Amino acid sequence: MKTAAFYTLGCKVNQYETEAIKELFADDGFEIVSFDEKADFYIVNTCSVTSMSDRKSRQIIRRAKKKNPNSVIAVMGCYSQTAPDEVLDIEGVNLVLGTKDKKTVLNLIKTLAPTSKLNAVTDVRDNHTYEDLTVKRTHERTRAYIKIQDGCSQFCSYCIIPYARGPVRSRCENEVISEIKTLAQAGYKEIILTGIHVASYGKDLGNTSLEELLKKADMIDGIQRIRLSSIEPMTLNHEFVEKIRGCKKLCPHFHISLQSGCDATLKRMNRHYTTAQFEEVTQGLRNAFTDCAITTDIMTGFPGETNAEFEETLEFVNRIGFADAHVFQYSQRRGTPAARRSDQVMPEIKEARSKLIIEATNKSRDNFLLSQVGKVTEVLFETSDNGVFEGKTDNYITVHAKHNCDICGEFKTVLLEKAENGIMFGKIVD
């Protein structure tokens, strides 16, 4: 039996696609092994959102070849799509695929020898067809990601993803609902609807929308929680929130990409909202959903960001009070408008600003956790370590609690007792 090993870098969409391709290999008779083991075939699904992502992708590829010099290595994903020749030139790479026709990796890789070189990357700019990839099982026991769309047409000035993923393509609503039902029957209790630009779901289909999909998913037996992955702020307007607030299974946690708390910077980023609109959205969500957690992404050091602009962002972040944040430094991506700007910010300034934002968001996270102490809520437990179980509340608080039995995959009622370093500690009371 031939062996295949997989490694995924980057977002939840990449993780979903790897799981789907892994199933294709398993169904074809391959034994799936750990990436750290010797394998006949290695498949690396790459990310290119930052230059660090590119570098990590190259490191992983080289690591695979060291494990088995006679292996065949296929590389796919966003880094491959945007720099196929560069990837193919990496020692040990035999096959390069991009973000299109990923299912062909199974048949292509079987035709190659350890010395072969094949560039199978095709243009995605005019791709208007959603590639059907389905997951029936995942490595997680309690939650499953479901990809509902691909591509992005926003063209933020710093972002390589529209060039790597192509235009928006939505998955057929019936296929999404069918996959949710299959996962529910397999015992999954929580689903996360994910995509490259989730907010655009249905806009190319014309016969459905994100809110309609949420309503139909809400009626599926077996699923007890529904989450949305990262979503654009202007999607969450008053009309949209009024339509979805009746979804009983929708979790009161929304990850809304801010990027900057300064209007001038947002305009240079080609982000299509103002800080006032963002603030209005957060207030609307908090009015509509009890104990709503709002998390975000914040970038420091975007080209042209002055000290005054950064101070605006810092003040805005403090005012909004995020439950958590992913803070990162601007990274030049070749081919994007921002990369061509002459007013790049020095690395040490980006680093210093990043630390200040992290301090601010850690403080607001701790304040949010403190506001939840003393409440009794449902926790879906997922993992354990020496009798201490870890799970998530519906508003995405990580909870640790002790129990004598294996409660992974189960909901338990928990009294939230204290918070420390971003973790809530509680006592199971049911």
Side-chain angles (χ1 to χ4, degrees), residues 91-122:
E91 184 179 356
V93 173
N94 307 106
L95 170 64
V96 179
L97 283 160
T99 58
K100 182 182 176 184
D101 301 324
K102 292 175 285 291
K103 288 195 294 188
T104 61
V105 65
L106 174 61
N107 292 325
L108 288 175
I109 202 170
K110 292 189 291 186
T111 68
L112 302 178
T115 56
S116 300
K117 289 281 186 179
L118 175 61
N119 182 350
V121 176
T122 56

Side-chain angles (χ1 to χ4, degrees), residues 314-329:
L314 188 58
E315 189 276 330
F316 186 77
V317 167
N318 285 326
R319 187 165 76 248
I320 296 298
F322 294 103
D324 208 349
H326 171 223
V327 182
F328 60 105
Q329 300 169 41

Side-chain angles (χ1 to χ4, degrees), residues 201-255:
Y201 177 78
K203 295 186 185 303
D204 56 321
L205 298 178
N207 59 357
T208 187
S209 62
L210 181 58
E211 54 265 39
E212 289 302 315
L213 179 63
L214 283 170
K215 289 177 182 178
K216 291 179 180 179
D218 195 58
M219 295 186 290
I220 296 174
D221 292 337
I223 298 299
Q224 295 176 249
R225 284 181 179 173
I226 301 170
R227 296 189 189 276
L228 287 171
S229 63
S230 181
I231 192 164
E232 289 295 298
M234 295 315 294
T235 302
L236 299 167
N237 56 38
H238 177 75
E239 182 182 3
F240 181 86
V241 171
E242 284 301 303
K243 288 179 179 178
I244 67 171
R245 67 184 302 179
C247 296
K248 297 179 180 178
K249 299 173 184 177
L250 181 62
C251 292
H253 165 235
F254 299 90
H255 188 88

